[in-house]
Amino acid sequence: MASSLPAFRGSFGSTEFFVLTMKAGEFVRSMTIPKELEEWEDLSPEEKFQREINYKRVATHIAPYLAHDNDRFIGAFIVEVRGDEEMEFESLVDAGIKFPKALPNSLMNQFGILYLSGSEVMIPLDGQHRLAALEFAISGKDERKNDIKGLTPNPKVAEDTCTVILIRHDLEKARKIFNKVNKYAKPTSKADNLITDDSDYIAVITREIIVGDIIPRRLVKTGSSNTIPANAPEFTTLATIYEINLRVEDVYTGKKPDVAKTPRPEDKALAVQNLKGFWQDFIQIDAYANSLADSSEAGDKRRIDIRMNSLACRPIVQRILAETILELQIGDGEKNKLSVPEAVAKINRVDWSPENPLWQGILLNGTRIIAGASPLKFAVRVIAYLLGQPLDEQELKKLRKDFEANIPGRSLPEKFT
């Protein structure tokens, strides 16, 4: 079907291109993925410039984001046009339109109308997975036309506007464009993702709700480091809050959160409720409540002093205590489970001073705080037991053995009273 589209004509190096917009539904209908071309199977490996579509990634990660997130957004598509003999661009200057002197012909010669005969074949060079995701999000069905589990179709996506960059067919250029665009796409760091990633719903809740609503922003250290210098005014780190939130979501839902997939709005709402509830109770630990009592600069010295005198305020120990509380919620029957407030009450009766010899080998090695996944898990097991977690005979025997192996010359202490 012939069409006329407003477009901008430009050039980059030796490549002429046209920038235009299309409704997402129209864009999906107009595109042909390379694998659907008649000559695909006859192409040599070098000529198969497009990778296979990972439909599983599209269905589980990209499409749910487009279907479920009202703030969805995607970048421009780079599209090759085959059968472009009748494709024609008429600039506003060529159309004889006169413009004010402030708009010179050299500029307005770049704006105009792109005429398509309808016989063109359009092939995405960059954005093949996003193209498939648009179709999945609109229809709710995968490439085999089966319903996608956990995805609610969103026909409104079809009305969204896609930015499209068209270039004329040239196999060599197409291969180069595809390879270079993807080669130089640099993965973001974990620290960057915590601050900017909108598809990781735990990261979004962490930085937009827990930080701000529960813990003042100026008291949360960002960046890749998970430690706080002795004289720093912050209470915790963004990474610490995020790791705690991952574990809370895991325990409360019974499954590891899929942070690469945008959840349904109702699932995200439940996660917000669970995480806010946990943190509201968690920061009732005395050292935390006292640290957060005055979030202004006037309270900085107090926070520093509290952290110096309480191991509970070190970021890694904050994680340990959060995981300990979660561990105490996994009991044999309701009578053996502790609620978060009940666990916090027990924590508040413990001496968390770095001078307490109990913590050597559990939380401290000399004056240094423990680090690493294995020491963290060991500390959680020991502290959960000390706070009253019931263990059967075999579990207790194993914990005693592990304790003596980790801390030679000492025996597992008695539970706190």
Side-chain angles (χ1 to χ4, degrees):
M1 181 178 175
S3 58
S4 304
L5 300 169
F8 168 86
R9 176 176 60 185
S11 62
F12 200 98
S14 63
T15 303
E16 179 187 50
F17 65 87
F18 303 93
V19 181
L20 50 91
T21 60
M22 301 174 71
K23 294 296 185 182
E26 178 189 1
F27 178 71
V28 168
R29 292 189 296 271
S30 302
M31 294 300 113
T32 301
I33 62 173
K35 194 173 182 180
E36 294 174 351
L37 297 172
E38 291 182 5
E39 70 268 26
W40 177 257
E41 292 303 328
D42 296 329
L43 295 178
S44 66
E46 292 79 17
E47 291 171 322
K48 288 186 176 180
F49 55 84
Q50 273 282 17
R51 58 187 170 179
E52 296 277 351
I53 295 179
N54 183 338
Y55 285 112
K56 181 178 180 181
R57 182 165 72 90
V58 171
T60 59
H61 299 158
I62 311 174
Y65 162 67
L66 296 178
H68 299 157
D69 196 330
N70 288 331
D71 296 324
R72 58 187 174 270
F73 189 84
I74 54 178
F77 293 84
I78 303 176
V79 174
E80 180 193 52
V81 183
R82 296 193 179 189
D84 60 310
E85 294 80 8
E86 296 183 49
M87 185 176 81
E88 182 182 355
F89 178 78
E90 181 182 26
S91 73
L92 298 180
V93 174
D94 294 336
I97 300 175
K98 293 184 178 182
F99 305 97
K101 292 181 180 180
L103 297 174
N105 284 356
S106 59
L107 174 63
M108 302 315 297
N109 201 43
Q110 295 177 282
F111 293 89
I113 302 297
L114 186 66
Y115 298 98
L116 302 174
S117 68
S119 61
E120 296 86 1
V121 177
M122 299 189 182
I123 306 160
L125 299 182
D126 178 58
Q128 199 176 204
H129 286 74
R130 284 173 283 146
L131 169 63
L134 284 172
E135 186 172 7
F136 287 12
I138 294 167
S139 68
K141 297 184 181 297
D142 62 18
E143 76 283 5
R144 296 186 178 90
K145 306 305 177 186
N146 296 322
D147 291 339
I148 299 173
K149 185 178 179 181
L151 188 148
T152 303
N154 189 351
K156 291 182 180 179
V157 173
E159 295 301 314
D160 289 344
T161 302
C162 294
T163 303
V164 184
I165 303 172
L166 295 182
I167 65 170
R168 298 181 187 272
H169 171 60
D170 183 316
L171 183 60
E172 187 62 30
K173 280 188 178 180
R175 184 187 300 116
K176 284 183 179 179
I177 289 171
F178 172 76
N179 288 335
K180 296 303 181 184
V181 165
N182 288 280
K183 178 180 179 181
Y184 295 117
K186 182 181 178 181
T188 54
S189 69
K190 182 176 180 180
D192 291 334
N193 289 340
L194 283 179
I195 298 172
T196 63
D197 192 352
D198 287 327
S199 60
D200 181 344
Y201 72 105
I202 297 297
V204 172
I205 295 171
T206 296
R207 67 176 184 260
E208 295 184 2
I209 297 177
I210 304 305
V211 177
D213 288 0
I214 308 295
I215 302 175
R217 293 187 184 280
R218 74 173 298 269
L219 302 188
V220 179
K221 180 184 176 185
T222 58
S224 57
S225 175
N226 207 17
T227 60
I228 297 179
N231 291 321
E234 291 90 355
F235 167 69
T236 190
T237 71
L238 188 65
T240 297
I241 300 173
Y242 176 75
E243 293 297 336
I244 290 173
N245 285 343
L246 284 177
R247 285 292 297 134
V248 173
E249 180 75 346
D250 184 353
V251 171
Y252 281 22
T253 65
K255 59 183 179 180
K256 187 175 181 180
D258 186 349
V259 296
K261 176 181 178 181
T262 303
R264 295 177 301 175
E266 57 267 33
D267 293 334
K268 182 177 178 180
L270 179 59
V272 169
Q273 178 182 324
N274 287 339
L275 294 176
K276 285 187 69 174
F278 178 86
W279 278 95
Q280 286 165 345
D281 290 333
F282 185 54
I283 60 173
Q284 298 310 308
I285 291 173
D286 287 342
Y288 300 170
N290 293 333
S291 294
L292 298 172
D294 183 356
S295 62
S296 70
E297 291 184 12
D300 289 350
K301 185 179 185 305
R302 185 184 189 190
R303 258 183 304 283
I304 293 170
D305 290 342
I306 292 172
R307 186 171 60 244
M308 182 180 297
N309 293 292
S310 175
L311 293 174
C313 285
R314 312 291 174 87
I316 187 65
V317 182
Q318 290 170 353
R319 278 189 62 187
I320 289 170
L321 291 184
E323 297 217 19
T324 298
I325 290 172
L326 295 173
E327 186 70 20
L328 292 171
Q329 291 184 317
I330 307 172
D332 181 17
E334 291 298 324
K335 68 177 182 178
N336 290 325
K337 296 181 182 180
L338 290 182
S339 67
V340 179
E342 288 172 334
V344 165
K346 288 190 171 234
I347 289 170
N348 284 337
R349 294 197 291 268
V350 176
D351 176 10
W352 296 100
S353 166
E355 306 305 320
N356 185 348
L358 170 67
W359 303 124
Q360 287 297 322
I362 301 173
L363 298 177
L364 289 171
N365 288 321
T367 59
R368 295 178 63 87
I369 204 78
I370 66 161
S374 293
L376 185 150
K377 290 179 181 178
F378 173 70
V380 169
R381 291 173 60 205
V382 173
I383 296 174
Y385 164 75
L386 294 177
L387 291 175
Q389 183 183 41
L391 300 177
D392 61 31
E393 186 177 339
Q394 283 299 112
E395 291 171 331
L396 183 56
K397 182 178 179 181
K398 185 176 189 312
L399 181 59
R400 285 198 175 107
K401 181 179 179 181
D402 291 344
F403 188 93
E404 292 168 5
N406 276 275
I407 312 175
R410 286 179 59 190
S411 299
L412 182 67
E414 295 297 321
K415 290 184 178 183
F416 299 135
T417 56

